Amino acid sequence: RVLISSMDVTDMLRAEAANVARLQAETESQAKGRMLAQIAEEKAASDRLRVLADEARNNLQRLSELGRQVTASLDPQVIVATLSQGLTSLMPADGLRILVLDDDERLQSIGDWGAAAPISAEADQDEDAHLRELSQCLHRPGLATLQRDERSAAWRHAPIGARSALVAPLSGQQGPLGLLVVYVRGTIGHTVTHRAVLETLALHVGSAIRNARAYAQLQIAQKQLVEREKLAALGSLVAGVAHELNTPLGNALLLTSTLNERFRALPAEAPPGEDVHAAMGELRQLVTQAGPLIEHSLRSAAGLMSSFKQVAADQTADRRRSFDLAQAVGELA
């Protein structure tokens, strides 16, 4: 005897198929969600990189323009003013100071920016102490960072509350030229980008200071050359005037000395006679001839001196003056 049992599993199969389909849909939805999230994250990262790239490009443009403006200036005060206007857009900065080495190898400030800390009992009264601290940064490779905590005395010639200083050496052709110091309030740390910006600016500032010194030396050389040319021209002019004056004055001196000799040759107390009358006649004739020559020679000398004074007046004034062209050409000839 056989017992046969039957059961309809259609609904169960349909339920299992629906469950499988639901699980598959959930899996696909989760995978799609993860993919969308990954795409969104990659897009956000790409946007961040694009923003950073644009910011870096803008910073490079600002840095290049600032360096061009700094290098184009020959005045230390203008260099400081230019840096103070553009530095804060590139890095944290509450003040800056430019120091250069003088002939005695001592650091001297040529310009600063930022409110100076007031001198008080708590402030560092010894300015040389800070200069010695800065001098140690001259021969260090790269940038140096100086820090002061809340209990330390404040730096003089630094902004109020400055606790951090980033020091960049300025290089010259013969060695260290000076320092570029950037002060920051608090203890804000400078990033690698900020340090690279300051190193680049230090190169521009060093170049500007070298150009300013070369320009100053050129001006001194030009002044010395002008003075030498003036002295040479004055010597030539004096020699020419002396040569021109020598002729009329020599003639007047010769005639005057001749008259004196003839006058002294007359007897002081001699009775009237033919010899005395003859000598007096010769003296009268000589005076008659020499008088106009002496007067002409002295007038010529006076005219030369007047012309010399007029030339000196013409060199210092723009006033027009009438003159005889034929006479001027004749005198030159």
Side-chain angles (χ1 to χ4, degrees):
R1 187 174 56 178
V2 178
L3 180 62
I4 300 175
S5 175
S6 63
M7 183 177 59
D8 190 359
V9 296
T10 302
D11 294 337
M12 184 178 65
L13 293 176
R14 289 177 179 175
E16 290 180 356
N19 190 26
V20 170
R22 181 178 59 80
L23 292 176
Q24 186 177 0
E26 289 179 355
T27 303
E28 292 177 354
S29 177
Q30 292 176 357
K32 184 177 181 181
R34 288 193 296 270
M35 183 176 65
L36 292 176
Q38 184 178 359
I39 292 175
E41 184 178 353
E42 291 177 354
K43 184 177 181 302
S46 177
D47 292 340
R48 288 194 299 270
L49 290 176
R50 187 180 300 107
V51 170
L52 291 176
D54 293 340
E55 183 179 358
R57 189 181 304 108
N58 293 333
N59 287 338
L60 284 176
Q61 292 177 354
R62 287 195 293 267
L63 179 60
S64 176
E65 178 64 20
L66 182 59
R68 185 192 65 80
Q69 295 175 0
V70 168
T71 309
S73 176
L74 296 175
D75 187 353
Q77 296 299 327
V78 176
I79 295 175
V80 173
T82 303
L83 284 175
S84 64
Q85 293 175 1
L87 185 62
T88 54
S89 63
L90 297 171
M91 61 181 296
D94 296 310
L96 64 88
R97 194 178 182 192
I98 299 178
L99 304 102
V100 297
L101 290 172
D102 58 11
D103 296 335
D104 297 328
E105 296 297 322
R106 289 178 58 87
L107 286 174
Q108 299 291 334
S109 177
I110 62 172
D112 51 42
W113 161 71
I119 300 177
S120 61
E122 293 78 14
D124 185 2
Q125 298 292 335
D126 187 7
E127 168 65 6
D128 291 337
H130 187 34
L131 290 178
R132 287 194 297 270
E133 188 178 17
L134 291 173
S135 299
Q136 297 176 359
C137 305
L138 280 170
H139 302 283
R140 292 181 182 176
L143 304 184
T145 302
L146 305 179
Q147 298 283 352
R148 287 201 170 185
D149 54 28
E150 296 295 335
R151 295 172 295 179
S152 301
W155 285 311
R156 292 185 65 184
H157 302 289
I160 298 175
R163 294 296 174 182
S164 177
L166 191 60
V167 185
L170 305 176
S171 300
Q173 297 179 350
Q174 306 298 330
L177 182 64
L179 296 172
L180 173 60
V181 186
V182 174
Y183 295 100
V184 179
R185 293 186 177 94
T187 56
I188 301 176
H190 290 91
T191 64
V192 176
T193 302
H194 297 157
R195 299 174 72 90
V197 166
L198 190 60
E199 287 180 344
T200 304
L201 288 177
L203 294 176
H204 289 296
V205 172
S207 176
I209 293 177
R210 291 195 301 271
N211 293 339
R213 287 187 170 183
Y215 180 69
Q217 293 176 356
L218 177 61
Q219 285 185 317
I220 294 174
Q222 287 178 341
K223 289 181 180 179
Q224 292 176 348
L225 182 60
V226 169
E227 292 298 328
R228 289 172 184 164
E229 290 179 351
K230 285 183 179 179
L231 292 176
L234 180 61
S236 177
L237 181 61
V238 169
V241 171
H243 175 72
E244 293 294 333
L245 288 174
N246 186 54
T247 299
L249 292 179
N251 293 335
L253 179 62
L254 175 62
L255 293 172
T256 303
S257 61
T258 302
L259 288 175
N260 289 331
E261 290 178 1
R262 291 294 180 90
F263 183 77
R264 286 194 295 267
L266 293 175
E269 297 179 356
E274 292 184 3
D275 294 338
V276 175
H277 286 294
M280 290 296 294
E282 292 179 0
L283 180 61
R284 186 181 299 109
Q285 183 180 3
L286 181 60
V287 170
T288 303
Q289 295 176 351
L293 293 177
I294 293 174
E295 182 181 1
H296 176 72
S297 297
L298 294 179
R299 288 184 181 275
S300 298
L304 289 172
M305 292 302 299
S306 178
S307 300
F308 178 65
K309 291 171 61 178
Q310 189 63 50
V311 169
D314 290 343
Q315 290 181 346
T316 58
D318 294 332
R319 180 172 55 85
R320 293 186 177 184
R321 180 171 61 91
S322 300
F323 64 94
D324 189 343
L325 180 59
Q327 180 182 356
V329 174
E331 291 176 354
L332 289 175

